Amino acid sequence: HNMAPAGRGVVLLALSLLYVYRPAFSSEFFSTLTFFNSDLQKHGCSSHSDWEDYTAECESSILKFDDDPDCKNGGNPPCASVFSLDTEKILSQAKLLAEQKRLPFAIDNQNTNEELAIGYVLIGSGLYDEAIQHFSSLLQGDPALVSAIYGRGIAYGKKGLQDIKNADLALFELSRVITLAPNQPEVFEQRAEILSPLGRTSEALSDLTKAIQLHPSARLYRHRGTLKFISEEYELAQQDFQQSLELKNNQPITMLYKGYTLFHRGMLKEAIEIFKEALKLKTDFIDAYKSLGQAYRELGDFEAAMESFQKALMLNQNHIQSLQLRGMMLYHHGSLQEALRNFKRCLQLEPYHEVCQYMKGLSHVAMGQFYEGIKAQTKVMLNDPLPGQKASPEYLKVKYLREYSRYLHAHLDTPVTEYNVDVDLPGNFKNHWAKNLPFLIEEYEEQPGLQPHIKDVLPQNFESYNPEIQKVICTADHLGALMQYDTPGFLPNHRIHRAMGLATLEVMQAIQRTWSNSKVRVNGKTRQMQWRDMFDVAVKWRRIADPDQPVLWLDQMPARSLSRGFNNHINLIRGQIINIRYLAYFDQILSFIKDRILVYHSAYNPRGLSEVRQALEDVNKVEDLLPIMKFNSKTRDGFTVNTKVPSLNEPGKEYDGCTITITGDRVGNMLFSVETQTTEERTQQYQWEIESVYKDLTTKGKALMLSTELGDADAVCNLILSLVYYFYNLMPLSRGSSVVAYSVVMGSLMASGKEVMGRIPKGKLADFEAMTTSSPEAFSKIAKSWMKLKSLPDWYQSLPSVAETFPTTRTMIEVLNTDSTSQCPKKS
């Protein structure tokens, strides 16, 4: 190894903060961003064998005083570090340092330089207390010996910043050096290395900026870029990484960092190109392949992501992060068996890996293997965070998952018509679970443990189902695929496709029975089907497809949490992070906001209206709205705009739709978000509308069963889409409202004799379409334009009853586990 630098580089120390400052992203899209943060830490400046060729990129200025072009790894003695407790070796190494003038703040006296060099050699040997003692004795003779003050400061820093005394002493000494020698960039850099782990990022940035002003270098720009990355100033971080690359182009790690800044800003396609550039610089760059895989996964390109993860694992079959990320992608793609293999391999390599342990437990439970699943979950529960340490997302979620797993296991063989998750689970449990709060529930009574007489779900072969049921499964796969969003950020999930396809068929059959005056069985009672029962069919399937996500009715939460409002929040832009899922709607929302601003100013600021109108004409993106807020004192710090949803029940009446919020600070960081509030009053208003439309739909549906009038079919179609328009604007579920509603739309239309042939267009989202459309009629028109409705073929009527074929949770899990890849005929 080279002589170990006293300061292993800003990146290593500063990047330990990446876990302290993990951004809390509200959208699923950002759930995996923080995986990249650990790369910055790992590559920070470890001298990992994979990176031997690149350690020069990372070394701090300390003990590397001149960029000696002849100094190579494994080179001649001045570069080799052969430290041990052998006094002779320490003295000879010190002599070499002094002779080579590779000593900070050397003076003219050779004897003193050799004495100083001994202190630096002791630091390099890890003998920090001895180094401090040595420098202190030199300072007794000459209190202004800058090199000794500097060396003592470094030794305090290396001793460990966990002890605040060491940090304070290190900063005190380095600040003294800056006072005595204000034009040395390495001192500012060294002080930044101490400041950044203490959370004093702005001071560290200031020091690095000063160092760059004194002597710009590729390393300094990269270090400053890293700290800006921690501060979520991704655009500025990207500029610094670019500057670093311009000064020294062969830096694969810096190229990787530049890709991360683009990834975090939602610029996935651009990030992918940069990761490819990094691979050109270093063809066996495992982390670039892994990052490329993750970027493709977030884009929704499963095949390209798999290929990239595969390349990373071909370079190192034990690369834990690639196994973890590939496993998580396979889970969210619905390939649970393959996902489980990745998590098991991950745990063979690192038995206490919390994410792999949690995902292993989740995969087992999703497949109905409760004994193995709960065993894995319990291991995660034992990872109590240390005092003052933030609990991991897995630790926060695992207690809910274990309780829900026990509940599901106890009800495996009970007909789903005989029980109700929303009623059975305690209110506080549901409330905490949906909000992802720590599991601190007063007087909570645990679900019963696993009962030995209830066996796990066994694998089911496609061939074991009779041909009619096979046809149901293949039809469900086709229908579910029609619900897939063709938008960046949405990974196709075949398990959800099948579940929601089966939901669509079950909704169709339930509605047809209702329109034929038959009753349905719900919660242990036989009665006429209500609108909620229709949605509950889809909720039931969405719930079982992924037990990780609480799909719960918000109005069934405890009254206390509802009275405070239960918000469904989506960040579109937070700081410099852009949520790519909703990009296609930015212009539409911007136009709406502009209109509302003009209405506001005409009411409250008529004199300034023309100035505001003029300013708005130059606004082409949401960020440009921030300066216009300054025109009015009330909107200086931002504003909120409510969309309005017209009532069909009472023409002229309007309800609050979603709330669009824009706020910004002086630095230009902004929050642009959309929120729906589920208060009791708002819920009652929307449910009244849905109830009214549903009654009308039932009446017209019954008439349609007795008639072949085209007008009746059109009226029914419009009512179905109107009902779902209110459902989307209400957003009544904690998760899954969008796909639940779309399967109800498709099933209801099929009940009315219409088959949906078209896919949702690229960039379109059914829920956002409803939330940004001014009326149910307008939404109905848009949805019909892409659904390409045709007459429903007669064979649909002869399909077996989905509810009777899969009456229990066990039978539902069995069919979702069944592989039909090579069995179902391909549909275009």
Side-chain angles (χ1 to χ4, degrees):
H1 290 292
N2 276 2
M3 184 183 290
R8 274 287 177 100
V10 169
V11 183
L12 182 63
L13 286 169
L15 267 291
S16 59
L17 282 176
L18 280 165
Y19 285 105
V20 181
Y21 292 111
R22 287 172 79 153
F25 302 111
S26 69
S27 146
E28 271 178 80
F29 164 65
F30 295 112
S31 60
T32 47
L33 292 184
T34 49
F35 284 115
F36 286 174
N37 293 346
S38 58
D39 291 348
L40 274 79
Q41 182 171 352
K42 185 182 76 180
H43 295 155
C45 284
S46 60
S47 53
H48 194 284
S49 57
D50 288 355
W51 302 103
E52 279 173 5
D53 296 342
Y54 299 98
T55 50
E57 283 191 53
C58 285
E59 283 177 4
S60 168
S61 53
I62 310 310
L63 295 195
K64 190 170 180 297
F65 314 121
D66 298 307
D67 286 329
D68 180 356
D70 299 322
C71 176
K72 300 275 190 263
N73 280 357
N76 52 33
C79 287
S81 99
V82 216
F83 290 138
S84 73
L85 293 180
D86 187 323
T87 308
E88 225 173 276
K89 282 183 180 173
I90 287 178
L91 290 172
S92 83
Q93 188 71 31
K95 193 168 185 182
L96 275 169
L97 265 180
E99 283 172 3
Q100 296 272 332
K101 294 194 169 62
R102 298 176 62 237
L103 185 71
F105 305 105
I107 60 172
D108 293 336
N109 186 317
Q110 183 63 15
N111 289 337
T112 305
N113 285 342
E114 285 183 23
E115 284 291 328
L116 287 164
I118 289 170
Y120 285 101
V121 172
L122 288 166
I123 290 173
S125 305
L127 302 169
Y128 307 127
D129 284 323
E130 289 82 349
I132 289 165
Q133 207 174 340
H134 182 75
F135 287 127
S136 297
S137 66
L138 289 174
L139 285 164
Q140 280 176 348
D142 182 358
L145 192 57
V146 176
S147 187
I149 300 170
Y150 187 43
R152 194 162 65 175
I154 293 164
Y156 279 125
K158 292 295 287 176
K159 214 177 143 182
L161 301 181
Q162 295 84 353
D163 185 340
I164 197 67
K165 283 182 194 165
N166 290 335
D168 286 342
L169 288 165
L171 290 173
F172 176 73
E173 301 289 34
L174 293 171
S175 299
R176 280 177 70 201
V177 175
I178 286 170
T179 306
L180 294 165
N183 295 320
Q184 300 302 315
E186 67 269 23
V187 191
F188 287 100
E189 183 182 9
Q190 192 67 29
R191 191 167 69 175
E193 291 183 10
I194 308 292
L195 288 164
S196 54
L198 300 175
R200 295 163 67 175
T201 311
S202 60
E203 293 170 76
L205 281 167
S206 175
D207 274 359
L208 287 171
T209 301
K210 181 67 178 169
I212 286 168
Q213 287 165 356
L214 290 167
H215 184 69
S217 71
R219 185 189 67 242
L220 284 170
Y221 274 117
R222 186 183 61 255
H223 290 180
R224 190 174 70 175
T226 304
L227 281 187
K228 285 179 177 171
F229 186 96
I230 292 169
S231 306
E232 296 184 31
E233 294 180 34
Y234 300 122
E235 207 167 335
L236 292 173
Q238 183 190 334
Q239 289 168 17
D240 273 354
F241 293 139
Q242 184 56 39
Q243 285 276 10
S244 182
L245 288 162
E246 284 171 16
L247 290 169
K248 184 180 176 187
N249 56 14
N250 188 22
Q251 296 187 81
I253 296 168
T254 307
M255 189 67 80
L256 185 73
Y257 294 177
K258 182 183 168 187
Y260 293 166
T261 62
L262 292 161
F263 182 97
H264 276 63
R265 291 169 65 197
M267 300 165 74
L268 294 179
K269 289 177 181 171
E270 293 84 346
I272 284 166
E273 292 311 310
I274 298 298
F275 294 144
K276 287 178 180 175
E277 286 294 316
L279 284 163
K280 285 179 192 170
L281 295 175
K282 181 171 167 55
T283 51
D284 59 346
F285 197 168
I286 293 176
D287 284 290
Y289 276 122
K290 180 209 69 187
S291 305
L292 194 58
Q294 194 58 11
Y296 277 127
R297 179 246 186 271
E298 293 296 353
L299 208 52
D301 189 337
F302 177 77
E303 282 74 21
M306 273 300 280
E307 187 185 341
S308 299
F309 287 136
Q310 197 59 33
K311 285 178 178 172
L313 288 161
M314 280 167 69
L315 289 166
N316 177 3
Q317 63 180 4
N318 298 336
H319 194 247
I320 288 174
Q321 262 201 341
S322 293
L323 288 165
Q324 177 200 331
L325 289 172
R326 186 174 69 174
M328 290 179 79
M329 180 179 76
L330 285 162
Y331 178 88
H332 291 292
H333 184 250
S335 309
L336 270 51
Q337 285 282 14
E338 284 180 73
L340 196 51
R341 280 196 284 275
N342 283 265
F343 300 133
K344 284 179 176 175
R345 177 72 186 133
C346 166
L347 289 164
Q348 281 173 352
L349 297 165
E350 195 180 309
Y352 299 102
H353 196 290
E354 205 168 10
V355 177
C356 290
Q357 192 70 259
Y358 178 85
M359 292 304 298
K360 178 189 172 190
L362 174 61
S363 303
H364 276 304
V365 163
M367 289 190 288
Q369 297 161 4
F370 291 90
Y371 289 89
E372 280 300 318
I374 286 176
K375 201 182 348 175
Q377 292 164 23
T378 305
K379 286 181 183 175
V380 178
M381 287 172 65
L382 298 175
N383 290 346
D384 289 313
L386 298 168
Q389 186 185 17
K390 193 178 174 190
S392 69
E394 290 71 35
Y395 184 82
L396 282 175
K397 291 195 295 181
V398 73
K399 290 186 182 178
Y400 299 106
L401 178 62
R402 189 179 72 159
E403 289 303 289
Y404 183 49
S405 302
R406 287 169 162 180
Y407 175 85
L408 284 176
H409 184 261
H411 291 82
L412 258 183
D413 298 307
T414 311
V416 289
T417 54
E418 304 304 309
Y419 67 92
N420 183 330
V421 173
D422 285 284
V423 172
D424 295 348
L425 292 176
N428 277 346
F429 174 89
K430 293 187 298 176
N431 183 36
H432 279 63
W433 187 20
K435 291 177 178 171
N436 201 25
L437 298 171
F439 196 100
L440 300 168
I441 304 168
E442 286 178 23
E443 296 175 17
Y444 177 74
E445 194 176 323
E446 285 193 355
Q447 294 289 326
L450 298 190
Q451 295 148 57
H453 70 280
I454 303 174
K455 301 301 176 197
D456 273 350
V457 176
L458 295 171
Q460 190 89 344
N461 285 328
F462 185 77
E463 293 79 6
S464 67
Y465 290 109
N466 70 44
E468 285 304 299
I469 295 171
Q470 289 180 8
K471 192 171 185 180
V472 167
I473 294 169
C474 292
T475 305
D477 287 350
H478 165 69
L479 292 171
L482 293 176
M483 302 179 207
Q484 178 62 41
Y485 286 151
D486 184 8
T487 299
F490 289 94
L491 187 74
N493 185 327
H494 300 309
R495 192 177 179 87
I496 300 254
H497 288 173
R498 177 169 300 168
M500 301 325 289
L502 288 165
T504 298
L505 291 172
E506 191 176 335
V507 166
M508 174 192 82
Q509 292 166 347
I511 291 175
Q512 284 180 335
R513 282 200 306 277
T514 300
W515 289 352
S516 307
N517 285 321
S518 296
K519 292 185 176 178
V520 291
R521 183 90 179 150
V522 182
N523 299 342
K525 294 174 186 167
T526 305
R527 56 172 169 78
Q528 288 291 328
M529 185 166 78
Q530 305 300 313
W531 70 266
R532 194 190 292 260
D533 305 331
M534 175 173 71
F535 282 97
D536 258 332
V537 169
V539 166
K540 162 187 83 172
W541 283 102
R542 175 63 184 80
R543 216 174 244 160
I544 210 67
D546 183 4
D548 192 36
Q549 298 180 348
V551 183
L552 301 162
W553 288 95
L554 296 180
D555 69 343
Q556 302 291 303
M557 294 287 176
R560 191 173 66 255
S561 70
L562 261 190
S563 64
R564 292 177 190 152
F566 205 110
N567 299 349
N568 190 315
H569 186 93
I570 299 167
N571 283 336
L572 304 180
I573 300 175
R574 184 176 70 81
Q576 292 172 12
I577 304 167
I578 296 171
N579 194 334
I580 56 164
R581 290 183 162 194
Y582 304 97
L583 264 178
Y585 290 90
F586 280 23
D587 286 346
Q588 202 173 329
I589 295 172
L590 180 60
S591 298
F592 174 75
I593 294 169
K594 282 182 177 183
D595 290 342
R596 301 311 302 165
I597 288 174
L598 287 173
V599 168
Y600 176 85
H601 277 279
S602 60
Y604 296 102
N605 182 22
R607 287 182 184 174
L609 187 60
S610 59
E611 192 183 354
V612 172
R613 195 188 303 277
Q614 182 63 48
L616 282 172
E617 282 178 18
D618 300 326
V619 170
N620 298 312
K621 54 184 194 291
V622 177
E623 298 92 308
D624 297 340
L625 284 171
L626 288 171
I628 294 171
M629 297 176 188
K630 312 297 184 266
F631 280 112
N632 187 291
S633 59
K634 288 185 181 175
T635 62
R636 187 166 290 142
D637 300 319
F639 59 86
T640 58
V641 179
N642 281 319
T643 61
K644 295 295 177 186
V645 174
S647 166
L648 280 177
N649 252 338
E650 281 187 51
K653 188 174 182 178
E654 288 183 326
Y655 306 125
D656 282 338
C658 60
T659 302
I660 301 163
T661 302
I662 298 183
T663 58
D665 59 25
R666 288 173 191 158
V667 186
N669 280 329
M670 69 175 296
L671 178 67
F672 172 37
S673 63
V674 171
E675 189 170 82
T676 50
Q677 291 190 326
T678 313
T679 57
E680 201 170 349
E681 184 191 1
R682 187 176 179 276
T683 300
Q684 284 172 356
Q685 290 170 339
Y686 276 88
Q687 288 186 357
W688 183 51
E689 288 290 333
I690 293 170
E691 183 70 46
S692 170
V693 175
Y694 180 76
K695 276 183 184 165
D696 203 1
L697 174 62
T698 306
T699 305
K700 286 196 165 56
K702 286 178 177 177
L704 186 65
M705 298 293 272
L706 306 168
S707 147
T708 53
E709 290 291 319
L710 197 61
D712 290 346
D714 277 349
V716 166
C717 176
N718 289 333
L719 283 169
I720 290 164
L721 289 165
S722 295
L723 185 143
V724 169
Y725 170 79
Y726 288 111
F727 185 91
Y728 276 133
N729 275 288
L730 174 57
M731 281 287 167
L733 299 170
S734 57
R735 292 297 290 269
S737 290
S738 186
V739 75
V740 160
Y742 207 76
S743 58
V744 167
V745 166
M746 288 177 65
S748 308
L749 287 168
M750 286 160 67
S752 75
K754 299 282 187 188
E755 184 180 18
V756 174
M757 304 295 287
R759 292 178 179 271
I760 300 166
K762 195 175 179 68
K764 295 286 185 187
L765 310 175
D767 52 352
F768 246 61
E769 211 58 48
M771 288 159 65
T772 56
T773 304
S774 59
S775 68
E777 295 84 2
F779 172 70
S780 182
K781 192 175 176 183
I782 291 164
K784 282 193 284 190
S785 71
W786 77 54
M787 286 180 166
K788 298 184 173 55
L789 298 174
K790 298 276 172 68
S791 289
L792 189 73
D794 291 340
W795 60 263
Y796 271 98
Q797 306 306 328
S798 62
L799 289 174
S801 159
V802 173
E804 288 169 18
T805 307
F806 310 111
T808 62
T809 297
R810 181 186 297 279
T811 50
M812 290 168 72
I813 293 174
E814 280 173 353
V815 72
L816 295 184
N817 287 349
T818 304
D819 182 13
S820 65
T821 318
S822 55
Q823 311 290 337
C824 293
K826 291 272 179 264
K827 295 205 179 189
S828 59

